[in-house]
Short mmCIF file of all heavy atoms in Angstrom, two decimals:
data_model
loop_
_atom_site.label_atom_id
_atom_site.label_comp_id
_atom_site.label_asym_id
_atom_site.label_seq_id
_atom_site.Cartn_x
_atom_site.Cartn_y
_atom_site.Cartn_z
N MET A 1 -6.47 3.77 -22.57
CA MET A 1 -6.19 5.02 -23.25
C MET A 1 -6.41 6.18 -22.27
O MET A 1 -7.45 6.27 -21.63
CB MET A 1 -7.13 5.15 -24.45
CG MET A 1 -6.91 6.39 -25.23
SD MET A 1 -7.68 6.18 -26.84
CE MET A 1 -8.54 7.65 -26.99
N ILE A 2 -5.46 7.05 -22.15
CA ILE A 2 -5.54 8.19 -21.25
C ILE A 2 -6.10 9.38 -22.01
O ILE A 2 -5.59 9.75 -23.07
CB ILE A 2 -4.15 8.55 -20.67
CG1 ILE A 2 -3.62 7.38 -19.85
CG2 ILE A 2 -4.24 9.80 -19.84
CD1 ILE A 2 -2.22 7.59 -19.37
N ARG A 3 -7.15 9.94 -21.45
CA ARG A 3 -7.76 11.11 -22.09
C ARG A 3 -7.22 12.37 -21.42
O ARG A 3 -7.34 12.55 -20.21
CB ARG A 3 -9.27 11.05 -21.94
CG ARG A 3 -9.95 12.17 -22.65
CD ARG A 3 -11.42 12.01 -22.59
NE ARG A 3 -12.02 13.16 -23.25
CZ ARG A 3 -13.24 13.56 -23.08
NH1 ARG A 3 -14.03 12.89 -22.29
NH2 ARG A 3 -13.70 14.61 -23.70
N ARG A 4 -6.63 13.22 -22.18
CA ARG A 4 -6.06 14.46 -21.64
C ARG A 4 -6.99 15.63 -21.94
O ARG A 4 -7.54 15.72 -23.02
CB ARG A 4 -4.68 14.73 -22.24
CG ARG A 4 -3.68 13.68 -21.86
CD ARG A 4 -2.34 13.95 -22.48
NE ARG A 4 -1.47 12.84 -22.23
CZ ARG A 4 -0.31 12.95 -21.60
NH1 ARG A 4 0.10 14.12 -21.19
NH2 ARG A 4 0.43 11.90 -21.40
N THR A 5 -7.13 16.49 -20.95
CA THR A 5 -7.94 17.68 -21.15
C THR A 5 -7.08 18.90 -20.92
O THR A 5 -6.13 18.87 -20.14
CB THR A 5 -9.13 17.73 -20.17
OG1 THR A 5 -8.64 17.64 -18.84
CG2 THR A 5 -10.09 16.59 -20.43
N SER A 6 -7.41 19.94 -21.61
CA SER A 6 -6.64 21.16 -21.47
C SER A 6 -6.97 21.85 -20.15
O SER A 6 -7.99 21.58 -19.52
CB SER A 6 -6.93 22.11 -22.63
OG SER A 6 -8.24 22.61 -22.51
N LEU A 7 -6.10 22.74 -19.74
CA LEU A 7 -6.31 23.49 -18.50
C LEU A 7 -7.58 24.33 -18.61
O LEU A 7 -8.34 24.43 -17.64
CB LEU A 7 -5.11 24.39 -18.22
CG LEU A 7 -5.16 25.21 -16.94
CD1 LEU A 7 -5.28 24.28 -15.74
CD2 LEU A 7 -3.92 26.06 -16.81
N ALA A 8 -7.85 24.88 -19.77
CA ALA A 8 -9.06 25.69 -19.96
C ALA A 8 -10.32 24.85 -19.76
O ALA A 8 -11.28 25.30 -19.14
CB ALA A 8 -9.07 26.32 -21.35
N THR A 9 -10.30 23.63 -20.23
CA THR A 9 -11.45 22.74 -20.06
C THR A 9 -11.65 22.41 -18.59
O THR A 9 -12.76 22.43 -18.08
CB THR A 9 -11.26 21.44 -20.86
OG1 THR A 9 -11.05 21.78 -22.23
CG2 THR A 9 -12.46 20.54 -20.74
N ARG A 10 -10.57 22.13 -17.87
CA ARG A 10 -10.67 21.83 -16.45
C ARG A 10 -11.18 23.04 -15.67
O ARG A 10 -11.97 22.90 -14.76
CB ARG A 10 -9.32 21.38 -15.91
CG ARG A 10 -9.03 19.92 -16.23
CD ARG A 10 -7.74 19.49 -15.63
NE ARG A 10 -6.73 19.71 -16.66
CZ ARG A 10 -5.45 19.92 -16.45
NH1 ARG A 10 -4.97 19.95 -15.24
NH2 ARG A 10 -4.62 20.10 -17.45
N LYS A 11 -10.74 24.22 -16.02
CA LYS A 11 -11.20 25.43 -15.32
C LYS A 11 -12.68 25.66 -15.56
O LYS A 11 -13.39 26.09 -14.68
CB LYS A 11 -10.40 26.66 -15.77
CG LYS A 11 -9.07 26.79 -15.10
CD LYS A 11 -8.48 28.14 -15.38
CE LYS A 11 -7.29 28.35 -14.50
NZ LYS A 11 -6.89 29.72 -14.41
N GLN A 12 -13.15 25.37 -16.75
CA GLN A 12 -14.57 25.55 -17.04
C GLN A 12 -15.42 24.64 -16.16
O GLN A 12 -16.48 25.03 -15.72
CB GLN A 12 -14.86 25.26 -18.52
CG GLN A 12 -14.37 26.35 -19.43
CD GLN A 12 -14.57 26.01 -20.89
OE1 GLN A 12 -14.99 24.90 -21.23
NE2 GLN A 12 -14.26 26.93 -21.77
N ARG A 13 -14.97 23.46 -15.88
CA ARG A 13 -15.72 22.55 -15.02
C ARG A 13 -15.77 23.07 -13.59
O ARG A 13 -16.72 22.82 -12.88
CB ARG A 13 -15.07 21.17 -15.03
CG ARG A 13 -15.45 20.37 -16.23
CD ARG A 13 -15.02 18.93 -16.03
NE ARG A 13 -14.32 18.52 -17.24
CZ ARG A 13 -13.26 17.76 -17.28
NH1 ARG A 13 -12.74 17.30 -16.18
NH2 ARG A 13 -12.71 17.44 -18.42
N ARG A 14 -14.77 23.78 -13.16
CA ARG A 14 -14.71 24.27 -11.80
C ARG A 14 -15.53 25.55 -11.60
O ARG A 14 -15.84 25.91 -10.49
CB ARG A 14 -13.26 24.55 -11.39
CG ARG A 14 -12.44 23.30 -11.29
CD ARG A 14 -11.05 23.61 -10.85
NE ARG A 14 -10.21 22.42 -10.91
CZ ARG A 14 -8.91 22.44 -10.95
NH1 ARG A 14 -8.26 23.58 -10.93
NH2 ARG A 14 -8.23 21.32 -11.00
N HIS A 15 -15.85 26.25 -12.67
CA HIS A 15 -16.56 27.52 -12.56
C HIS A 15 -17.85 27.48 -13.38
O HIS A 15 -17.92 28.04 -14.47
CB HIS A 15 -15.68 28.68 -13.03
CG HIS A 15 -14.47 28.88 -12.19
ND1 HIS A 15 -14.54 29.42 -10.93
CD2 HIS A 15 -13.17 28.59 -12.40
CE1 HIS A 15 -13.33 29.46 -10.42
NE2 HIS A 15 -12.48 28.96 -11.28
N PRO A 16 -18.89 26.86 -12.85
CA PRO A 16 -20.15 26.84 -13.58
C PRO A 16 -20.76 28.24 -13.65
O PRO A 16 -20.34 29.16 -12.97
CB PRO A 16 -21.02 25.89 -12.76
CG PRO A 16 -20.43 25.90 -11.40
CD PRO A 16 -18.96 26.16 -11.59
N GLU A 17 -21.77 28.37 -14.45
CA GLU A 17 -22.41 29.67 -14.68
C GLU A 17 -22.92 30.30 -13.39
O GLU A 17 -22.83 31.51 -13.20
CB GLU A 17 -23.56 29.52 -15.68
CG GLU A 17 -24.18 30.83 -16.12
CD GLU A 17 -23.18 31.75 -16.80
OE1 GLU A 17 -22.30 31.26 -17.52
OE2 GLU A 17 -23.29 32.98 -16.61
N GLU A 18 -23.45 29.50 -12.48
CA GLU A 18 -23.96 30.03 -11.21
C GLU A 18 -22.85 30.69 -10.40
O GLU A 18 -23.05 31.75 -9.81
CB GLU A 18 -24.60 28.91 -10.38
CG GLU A 18 -25.96 28.51 -10.88
CD GLU A 18 -26.98 29.62 -10.75
OE1 GLU A 18 -27.02 30.28 -9.69
OE2 GLU A 18 -27.72 29.83 -11.71
N LEU A 19 -21.68 30.07 -10.36
CA LEU A 19 -20.55 30.64 -9.62
C LEU A 19 -20.11 31.94 -10.28
O LEU A 19 -19.83 32.92 -9.59
CB LEU A 19 -19.40 29.65 -9.56
CG LEU A 19 -18.15 30.10 -8.81
CD1 LEU A 19 -18.49 30.44 -7.36
CD2 LEU A 19 -17.09 29.02 -8.87
N HIS A 20 -20.08 31.96 -11.59
CA HIS A 20 -19.69 33.17 -12.33
C HIS A 20 -20.65 34.31 -12.02
O HIS A 20 -20.23 35.44 -11.76
CB HIS A 20 -19.66 32.86 -13.82
CG HIS A 20 -19.21 33.99 -14.67
ND1 HIS A 20 -17.91 34.46 -14.66
CD2 HIS A 20 -19.87 34.77 -15.55
CE1 HIS A 20 -17.81 35.47 -15.50
NE2 HIS A 20 -18.99 35.67 -16.06
N LYS A 21 -21.95 34.02 -12.01
CA LYS A 21 -22.95 35.04 -11.70
C LYS A 21 -22.79 35.53 -10.26
O LYS A 21 -22.89 36.71 -9.99
CB LYS A 21 -24.36 34.49 -11.92
CG LYS A 21 -25.41 35.56 -11.78
CD LYS A 21 -26.86 35.16 -11.95
CE LYS A 21 -27.24 33.81 -12.31
NZ LYS A 21 -28.70 33.61 -12.35
N SER A 22 -22.51 34.61 -9.36
CA SER A 22 -22.32 34.96 -7.96
C SER A 22 -21.12 35.89 -7.77
O SER A 22 -21.18 36.85 -7.00
CB SER A 22 -22.12 33.69 -7.13
OG SER A 22 -21.80 34.00 -5.81
N ILE A 23 -20.05 35.61 -8.48
CA ILE A 23 -18.86 36.47 -8.41
C ILE A 23 -19.18 37.86 -8.93
O ILE A 23 -18.78 38.87 -8.35
CB ILE A 23 -17.69 35.82 -9.18
CG1 ILE A 23 -17.23 34.56 -8.45
CG2 ILE A 23 -16.54 36.81 -9.34
CD1 ILE A 23 -16.26 33.71 -9.24
N GLN A 24 -19.92 37.95 -10.02
CA GLN A 24 -20.31 39.25 -10.57
C GLN A 24 -21.18 40.02 -9.59
O GLN A 24 -21.00 41.23 -9.42
CB GLN A 24 -21.04 39.07 -11.89
CG GLN A 24 -20.15 38.61 -13.02
CD GLN A 24 -20.92 38.38 -14.30
OE1 GLN A 24 -22.11 38.04 -14.27
NE2 GLN A 24 -20.26 38.54 -15.42
N ILE A 25 -22.10 39.34 -8.93
CA ILE A 25 -22.96 40.00 -7.95
C ILE A 25 -22.12 40.53 -6.80
O ILE A 25 -22.29 41.68 -6.38
CB ILE A 25 -24.04 39.02 -7.44
CG1 ILE A 25 -25.05 38.72 -8.55
CG2 ILE A 25 -24.75 39.58 -6.22
CD1 ILE A 25 -26.00 37.59 -8.23
N ASP A 26 -21.19 39.72 -6.31
CA ASP A 26 -20.32 40.15 -5.22
C ASP A 26 -19.50 41.37 -5.62
O ASP A 26 -19.32 42.30 -4.81
CB ASP A 26 -19.37 39.02 -4.81
CG ASP A 26 -20.07 37.91 -4.05
OD1 ASP A 26 -21.21 38.12 -3.59
OD2 ASP A 26 -19.47 36.83 -3.92
N GLN A 27 -19.01 41.40 -6.84
CA GLN A 27 -18.21 42.54 -7.31
C GLN A 27 -19.06 43.81 -7.38
O GLN A 27 -18.60 44.89 -7.00
CB GLN A 27 -17.60 42.24 -8.68
CG GLN A 27 -16.49 41.22 -8.61
CD GLN A 27 -15.97 40.83 -9.97
OE1 GLN A 27 -16.60 41.09 -11.00
NE2 GLN A 27 -14.82 40.18 -9.99
N LEU A 28 -20.31 43.69 -7.85
CA LEU A 28 -21.19 44.86 -7.90
C LEU A 28 -21.50 45.37 -6.49
O LEU A 28 -21.47 46.58 -6.25
CB LEU A 28 -22.50 44.51 -8.61
CG LEU A 28 -22.47 44.48 -10.13
CD1 LEU A 28 -23.81 44.00 -10.67
CD2 LEU A 28 -22.13 45.84 -10.69
N ILE A 29 -21.78 44.47 -5.57
CA ILE A 29 -22.08 44.87 -4.20
C ILE A 29 -20.87 45.52 -3.56
O ILE A 29 -20.99 46.57 -2.89
CB ILE A 29 -22.57 43.66 -3.37
CG1 ILE A 29 -23.94 43.20 -3.88
CG2 ILE A 29 -22.62 43.99 -1.88
CD1 ILE A 29 -24.43 41.90 -3.30
N ASP A 30 -19.69 44.96 -3.77
CA ASP A 30 -18.46 45.55 -3.22
C ASP A 30 -18.24 46.96 -3.77
O ASP A 30 -17.90 47.89 -3.02
CB ASP A 30 -17.24 44.70 -3.55
CG ASP A 30 -17.18 43.42 -2.74
OD1 ASP A 30 -17.91 43.32 -1.72
OD2 ASP A 30 -16.38 42.53 -3.11
N ARG A 31 -18.45 47.12 -5.06
CA ARG A 31 -18.22 48.43 -5.68
C ARG A 31 -19.23 49.46 -5.16
O ARG A 31 -18.86 50.60 -4.87
CB ARG A 31 -18.31 48.32 -7.19
CG ARG A 31 -17.91 49.58 -7.89
CD ARG A 31 -17.51 49.36 -9.31
NE ARG A 31 -17.11 50.63 -9.87
CZ ARG A 31 -17.11 50.91 -11.14
NH1 ARG A 31 -17.45 50.00 -12.01
NH2 ARG A 31 -16.75 52.09 -11.57
N LEU A 32 -20.49 49.06 -5.02
CA LEU A 32 -21.50 49.98 -4.49
C LEU A 32 -21.22 50.32 -3.02
O LEU A 32 -21.40 51.47 -2.60
CB LEU A 32 -22.90 49.38 -4.64
CG LEU A 32 -23.49 49.39 -6.04
CD1 LEU A 32 -24.74 48.52 -6.10
CD2 LEU A 32 -23.82 50.82 -6.47
N THR A 33 -20.76 49.34 -2.25
CA THR A 33 -20.43 49.58 -0.85
C THR A 33 -19.27 50.56 -0.73
O THR A 33 -19.32 51.50 0.08
CB THR A 33 -20.08 48.25 -0.15
OG1 THR A 33 -21.19 47.36 -0.26
CG2 THR A 33 -19.76 48.47 1.32
N LYS A 34 -18.22 50.35 -1.50
CA LYS A 34 -17.07 51.27 -1.48
C LYS A 34 -17.50 52.68 -1.87
O LYS A 34 -17.06 53.66 -1.28
CB LYS A 34 -15.96 50.77 -2.41
CG LYS A 34 -15.24 49.56 -1.86
CD LYS A 34 -14.21 49.04 -2.84
CE LYS A 34 -13.58 47.76 -2.33
NZ LYS A 34 -12.66 47.16 -3.28
N HIS A 35 -18.38 52.79 -2.86
CA HIS A 35 -18.88 54.09 -3.30
C HIS A 35 -19.65 54.77 -2.17
O HIS A 35 -19.45 55.95 -1.89
CB HIS A 35 -19.78 53.92 -4.53
CG HIS A 35 -20.52 55.15 -4.92
ND1 HIS A 35 -19.90 56.23 -5.52
CD2 HIS A 35 -21.82 55.50 -4.78
CE1 HIS A 35 -20.80 57.18 -5.74
NE2 HIS A 35 -21.98 56.75 -5.30
N ALA A 36 -20.51 53.99 -1.50
CA ALA A 36 -21.34 54.57 -0.44
C ALA A 36 -20.52 55.00 0.76
O ALA A 36 -20.85 55.99 1.43
CB ALA A 36 -22.39 53.54 -0.01
N LEU A 37 -19.44 54.30 1.06
CA LEU A 37 -18.63 54.60 2.24
C LEU A 37 -17.48 55.55 1.96
O LEU A 37 -16.81 55.99 2.90
CB LEU A 37 -18.09 53.30 2.84
CG LEU A 37 -19.16 52.30 3.32
CD1 LEU A 37 -18.49 51.00 3.79
CD2 LEU A 37 -20.02 52.90 4.41
N SER A 38 -17.26 55.89 0.71
CA SER A 38 -16.16 56.76 0.34
C SER A 38 -16.49 58.23 0.63
O SER A 38 -17.65 58.64 0.59
CB SER A 38 -15.86 56.60 -1.15
OG SER A 38 -14.88 57.51 -1.57
N GLU A 39 -15.45 58.99 0.94
CA GLU A 39 -15.65 60.42 1.18
C GLU A 39 -15.95 61.17 -0.11
O GLU A 39 -16.68 62.15 -0.10
CB GLU A 39 -14.41 61.01 1.85
CG GLU A 39 -14.22 60.54 3.27
CD GLU A 39 -13.03 61.18 3.95
OE1 GLU A 39 -12.55 62.23 3.47
OE2 GLU A 39 -12.57 60.63 4.96
N LYS A 40 -15.38 60.70 -1.21
CA LYS A 40 -15.69 61.31 -2.51
C LYS A 40 -16.29 60.23 -3.41
O LYS A 40 -15.98 59.05 -3.28
CB LYS A 40 -14.44 61.92 -3.14
CG LYS A 40 -13.35 60.94 -3.44
CD LYS A 40 -12.17 61.63 -4.09
CE LYS A 40 -11.13 60.57 -4.47
NZ LYS A 40 -10.09 61.11 -5.29
N PRO A 41 -17.18 60.61 -4.30
CA PRO A 41 -17.87 59.63 -5.16
C PRO A 41 -16.89 58.84 -6.03
O PRO A 41 -15.98 59.41 -6.63
CB PRO A 41 -18.79 60.48 -6.02
CG PRO A 41 -18.85 61.80 -5.38
CD PRO A 41 -17.62 61.96 -4.55
N LEU A 42 -17.07 57.54 -6.07
CA LEU A 42 -16.25 56.68 -6.92
C LEU A 42 -16.97 56.32 -8.22
O LEU A 42 -16.34 55.90 -9.18
CB LEU A 42 -15.90 55.38 -6.17
CG LEU A 42 -15.17 55.54 -4.84
CD1 LEU A 42 -14.99 54.19 -4.18
CD2 LEU A 42 -13.84 56.24 -5.05
N MET A 43 -18.28 56.50 -8.21
CA MET A 43 -19.10 56.17 -9.37
C MET A 43 -20.02 57.36 -9.66
O MET A 43 -20.39 58.08 -8.74
CB MET A 43 -19.97 54.93 -9.08
CG MET A 43 -19.19 53.68 -8.70
SD MET A 43 -20.24 52.37 -8.02
CE MET A 43 -21.17 51.87 -9.44
N ASP A 44 -20.37 57.53 -10.92
CA ASP A 44 -21.34 58.59 -11.22
C ASP A 44 -22.75 58.03 -11.08
O ASP A 44 -22.95 56.83 -10.84
CB ASP A 44 -21.10 59.21 -12.60
CG ASP A 44 -21.26 58.23 -13.76
OD1 ASP A 44 -22.08 57.30 -13.64
OD2 ASP A 44 -20.59 58.41 -14.78
N GLU A 45 -23.74 58.88 -11.21
CA GLU A 45 -25.14 58.49 -10.97
C GLU A 45 -25.60 57.37 -11.91
O GLU A 45 -26.30 56.45 -11.50
CB GLU A 45 -26.04 59.71 -11.12
CG GLU A 45 -27.47 59.47 -10.72
CD GLU A 45 -28.32 60.73 -10.80
OE1 GLU A 45 -27.77 61.84 -10.83
OE2 GLU A 45 -29.54 60.56 -10.85
N LEU A 46 -25.19 57.44 -13.17
CA LEU A 46 -25.59 56.42 -14.15
C LEU A 46 -24.99 55.06 -13.79
O LEU A 46 -25.66 54.03 -13.90
CB LEU A 46 -25.16 56.83 -15.56
CG LEU A 46 -25.53 55.87 -16.68
CD1 LEU A 46 -27.04 55.69 -16.76
CD2 LEU A 46 -24.99 56.38 -18.01
N GLN A 47 -23.74 55.03 -13.33
CA GLN A 47 -23.10 53.77 -12.94
C GLN A 47 -23.81 53.14 -11.75
O GLN A 47 -24.03 51.93 -11.71
CB GLN A 47 -21.63 53.99 -12.61
CG GLN A 47 -20.78 54.31 -13.81
CD GLN A 47 -19.37 54.70 -13.43
OE1 GLN A 47 -19.15 55.41 -12.46
NE2 GLN A 47 -18.40 54.22 -14.20
N VAL A 48 -24.19 53.97 -10.77
CA VAL A 48 -24.90 53.48 -9.59
C VAL A 48 -26.25 52.91 -10.00
O VAL A 48 -26.63 51.80 -9.60
CB VAL A 48 -25.07 54.58 -8.53
CG1 VAL A 48 -25.99 54.13 -7.41
CG2 VAL A 48 -23.72 55.02 -7.99
N GLN A 49 -26.98 53.64 -10.82
CA GLN A 49 -28.30 53.19 -11.26
C GLN A 49 -28.21 51.90 -12.06
O GLN A 49 -29.02 50.99 -11.89
CB GLN A 49 -28.98 54.30 -12.08
CG GLN A 49 -30.45 54.07 -12.29
CD GLN A 49 -31.21 54.04 -10.96
OE1 GLN A 49 -30.91 54.78 -10.04
NE2 GLN A 49 -32.18 53.17 -10.86
N THR A 50 -27.21 51.79 -12.91
CA THR A 50 -27.03 50.59 -13.72
C THR A 50 -26.70 49.39 -12.83
O THR A 50 -27.26 48.30 -13.01
CB THR A 50 -25.91 50.80 -14.75
OG1 THR A 50 -26.24 51.92 -15.58
CG2 THR A 50 -25.70 49.57 -15.62
N ALA A 51 -25.81 49.58 -11.85
CA ALA A 51 -25.46 48.49 -10.94
C ALA A 51 -26.68 48.03 -10.15
O ALA A 51 -26.91 46.83 -9.98
CB ALA A 51 -24.35 48.95 -9.99
N LEU A 52 -27.49 48.97 -9.68
CA LEU A 52 -28.70 48.62 -8.93
C LEU A 52 -29.71 47.87 -9.81
O LEU A 52 -30.35 46.93 -9.36
CB LEU A 52 -29.33 49.87 -8.33
CG LEU A 52 -28.54 50.53 -7.20
CD1 LEU A 52 -29.19 51.85 -6.79
CD2 LEU A 52 -28.41 49.60 -6.01
N THR A 53 -29.83 48.28 -11.05
CA THR A 53 -30.74 47.61 -11.98
C THR A 53 -30.29 46.17 -12.22
O THR A 53 -31.12 45.25 -12.20
CB THR A 53 -30.80 48.38 -13.32
OG1 THR A 53 -31.27 49.71 -13.06
CG2 THR A 53 -31.73 47.70 -14.30
N VAL A 54 -29.01 45.97 -12.43
CA VAL A 54 -28.49 44.62 -12.65
C VAL A 54 -28.71 43.76 -11.41
O VAL A 54 -29.14 42.61 -11.50
CB VAL A 54 -26.99 44.67 -13.02
CG1 VAL A 54 -26.38 43.28 -13.02
CG2 VAL A 54 -26.80 45.32 -14.38
N LEU A 55 -28.44 44.31 -10.22
CA LEU A 55 -28.66 43.55 -8.99
C LEU A 55 -30.13 43.19 -8.81
O LEU A 55 -30.46 42.08 -8.37
CB LEU A 55 -28.16 44.33 -7.78
CG LEU A 55 -26.64 44.42 -7.64
CD1 LEU A 55 -26.26 45.33 -6.48
CD2 LEU A 55 -26.03 43.04 -7.46
N ASN A 56 -31.02 44.11 -9.15
CA ASN A 56 -32.45 43.82 -9.02
C ASN A 56 -32.89 42.68 -9.94
O ASN A 56 -33.80 41.94 -9.61
CB ASN A 56 -33.28 45.07 -9.32
CG ASN A 56 -33.25 46.05 -8.18
OD1 ASN A 56 -33.05 45.68 -7.02
ND2 ASN A 56 -33.45 47.31 -8.48
N LYS A 57 -32.22 42.54 -11.08
CA LYS A 57 -32.57 41.47 -12.00
C LYS A 57 -31.96 40.14 -11.57
O LYS A 57 -32.53 39.08 -11.81
CB LYS A 57 -32.09 41.81 -13.42
CG LYS A 57 -32.90 42.92 -14.05
CD LYS A 57 -32.41 43.19 -15.45
CE LYS A 57 -33.18 44.34 -16.03
NZ LYS A 57 -34.20 43.93 -16.96
N LEU A 58 -30.79 40.17 -10.92
CA LEU A 58 -30.09 38.95 -10.57
C LEU A 58 -30.46 38.39 -9.20
O LEU A 58 -30.42 37.19 -8.98
CB LEU A 58 -28.57 39.18 -10.61
CG LEU A 58 -27.98 39.50 -11.98
CD1 LEU A 58 -26.50 39.81 -11.85
CD2 LEU A 58 -28.20 38.33 -12.93
N LEU A 59 -30.82 39.26 -8.27
CA LEU A 59 -31.14 38.83 -6.91
C LEU A 59 -32.64 38.77 -6.71
O LEU A 59 -33.37 39.59 -7.25
CB LEU A 59 -30.54 39.79 -5.88
CG LEU A 59 -29.02 39.85 -5.84
CD1 LEU A 59 -28.56 40.93 -4.86
CD2 LEU A 59 -28.45 38.51 -5.43
N PRO A 60 -33.11 37.83 -5.91
CA PRO A 60 -34.56 37.78 -5.64
C PRO A 60 -34.98 38.97 -4.79
O PRO A 60 -34.19 39.50 -4.00
CB PRO A 60 -34.72 36.48 -4.86
CG PRO A 60 -33.39 36.21 -4.27
CD PRO A 60 -32.38 36.79 -5.23
N ASP A 61 -36.20 39.39 -4.96
CA ASP A 61 -36.75 40.50 -4.18
C ASP A 61 -37.21 39.95 -2.84
O ASP A 61 -38.26 39.34 -2.75
CB ASP A 61 -37.91 41.16 -4.93
CG ASP A 61 -38.44 42.38 -4.21
OD1 ASP A 61 -37.84 42.81 -3.21
OD2 ASP A 61 -39.47 42.92 -4.66
N LEU A 62 -36.40 40.16 -1.82
CA LEU A 62 -36.70 39.57 -0.51
C LEU A 62 -37.94 40.18 0.13
O LEU A 62 -38.60 39.55 0.94
CB LEU A 62 -35.50 39.71 0.41
CG LEU A 62 -34.24 38.97 -0.06
CD1 LEU A 62 -33.09 39.21 0.91
CD2 LEU A 62 -34.49 37.49 -0.21
N SER A 63 -38.28 41.40 -0.24
CA SER A 63 -39.47 42.02 0.34
C SER A 63 -40.74 41.35 -0.16
O SER A 63 -41.79 41.43 0.47
CB SER A 63 -39.51 43.52 0.03
OG SER A 63 -39.63 43.72 -1.35
N ALA A 64 -40.66 40.67 -1.29
CA ALA A 64 -41.83 40.02 -1.86
C ALA A 64 -42.00 38.59 -1.35
O ALA A 64 -43.01 37.95 -1.61
CB ALA A 64 -41.74 40.01 -3.38
N MET A 65 -41.02 38.09 -0.60
CA MET A 65 -41.12 36.73 -0.09
C MET A 65 -41.99 36.69 1.15
O MET A 65 -42.02 37.61 1.94
CB MET A 65 -39.72 36.19 0.23
CG MET A 65 -38.84 36.08 -1.00
SD MET A 65 -37.25 35.39 -0.61
CE MET A 65 -37.62 33.67 -0.66
N GLN A 66 -42.71 35.58 1.30
CA GLN A 66 -43.61 35.42 2.43
C GLN A 66 -43.19 34.19 3.22
O GLN A 66 -42.92 33.13 2.65
CB GLN A 66 -45.03 35.25 1.94
CG GLN A 66 -46.05 35.07 3.06
CD GLN A 66 -47.46 34.89 2.49
OE1 GLN A 66 -47.64 34.76 1.30
NE2 GLN A 66 -48.42 34.88 3.37
N LEU A 67 -43.11 34.34 4.53
CA LEU A 67 -42.75 33.22 5.38
C LEU A 67 -44.03 32.50 5.80
O LEU A 67 -44.94 33.08 6.37
CB LEU A 67 -42.01 33.72 6.62
CG LEU A 67 -41.61 32.66 7.64
CD1 LEU A 67 -40.63 31.68 7.00
CD2 LEU A 67 -40.98 33.30 8.85
N ILE A 68 -44.09 31.22 5.47
CA ILE A 68 -45.25 30.41 5.82
C ILE A 68 -44.81 29.41 6.89
O ILE A 68 -43.86 28.65 6.66
CB ILE A 68 -45.82 29.70 4.59
CG1 ILE A 68 -46.26 30.72 3.56
CG2 ILE A 68 -46.97 28.78 5.00
CD1 ILE A 68 -46.70 30.13 2.25
N SER A 69 -45.47 29.43 8.01
CA SER A 69 -45.12 28.56 9.11
C SER A 69 -46.27 27.62 9.42
O SER A 69 -47.43 27.96 9.28
CB SER A 69 -44.79 29.39 10.34
OG SER A 69 -44.50 28.57 11.41
N ASP A 70 -45.93 26.42 9.90
CA ASP A 70 -46.94 25.43 10.23
C ASP A 70 -46.95 25.18 11.74
O ASP A 70 -47.00 24.05 12.19
CB ASP A 70 -46.68 24.13 9.46
CG ASP A 70 -47.85 23.17 9.56
OD1 ASP A 70 -48.97 23.63 9.82
OD2 ASP A 70 -47.62 21.95 9.36
N HIS A 71 -46.87 26.25 12.53
CA HIS A 71 -46.91 26.13 13.99
C HIS A 71 -48.35 25.97 14.44
O HIS A 71 -49.22 26.74 14.07
CB HIS A 71 -46.31 27.38 14.64
CG HIS A 71 -44.83 27.41 14.59
ND1 HIS A 71 -44.12 27.20 13.44
CD2 HIS A 71 -43.91 27.63 15.56
CE1 HIS A 71 -42.83 27.29 13.69
NE2 HIS A 71 -42.68 27.55 14.97
N ARG A 72 -48.60 24.97 15.21
CA ARG A 72 -49.97 24.73 15.71
C ARG A 72 -50.00 24.68 17.19
O ARG A 72 -49.17 24.34 17.90
CB ARG A 72 -50.52 23.43 15.13
CG ARG A 72 -50.74 23.58 13.65
CD ARG A 72 -51.28 22.30 13.09
NE ARG A 72 -51.30 22.47 11.64
CZ ARG A 72 -51.94 21.68 10.86
NH1 ARG A 72 -52.59 20.65 11.32
NH2 ARG A 72 -51.94 21.86 9.57
#
């Protein structure tokens, strides 16, 4: 018996939640970068603050990480 799956079901298997979150993070970073490098503002202050808040929640705080080495 051949089991058929819809295209939507196959696409869901290819895009797990982690990949979806990663794409959203990339889009936020791209938008903030374009805003920062633009001659005129592309985002208002609230949009920038909201994007930064979302990134802070989704990305690890690298300044809080500690490198532990076992060099003797």
Side-chain angles (χ1 to χ4, degrees):
M1 181 163 133
I2 297 174
R3 183 175 178 200
R4 295 179 187 238
T5 56
S6 70
L7 182 59
T9 303
R10 280 183 267 155
K11 279 191 169 197
Q12 286 176 355
R13 279 192 228 142
R14 292 182 187 160
H15 296 287
E17 187 60 36
E18 284 295 316
L19 180 59
H20 183 68
K21 187 181 356 177
S22 174
I23 292 169
Q24 289 177 331
I25 290 170
D26 288 345
Q27 289 174 345
L28 281 175
I29 292 171
D30 286 346
R31 188 159 181 203
L32 285 168
T33 302
K34 287 176 185 175
H35 170 73
L37 299 175
S38 175
E39 290 183 18
K40 62 179 184 170
L42 302 176
M43 302 167 69
D44 63 31
E45 188 177 342
L46 181 60
Q47 290 173 320
V48 171
Q49 194 61 37
T50 302
L52 291 174
T53 301
V54 170
L55 287 175
N56 285 334
K57 289 181 183 257
L58 295 176
L59 295 175
D61 184 7
L62 297 178
S63 64
M65 297 182 84
Q66 180 181 7
L67 178 63
I68 299 173
S69 178
D70 191 23
H71 283 50
R72 292 180 187 194

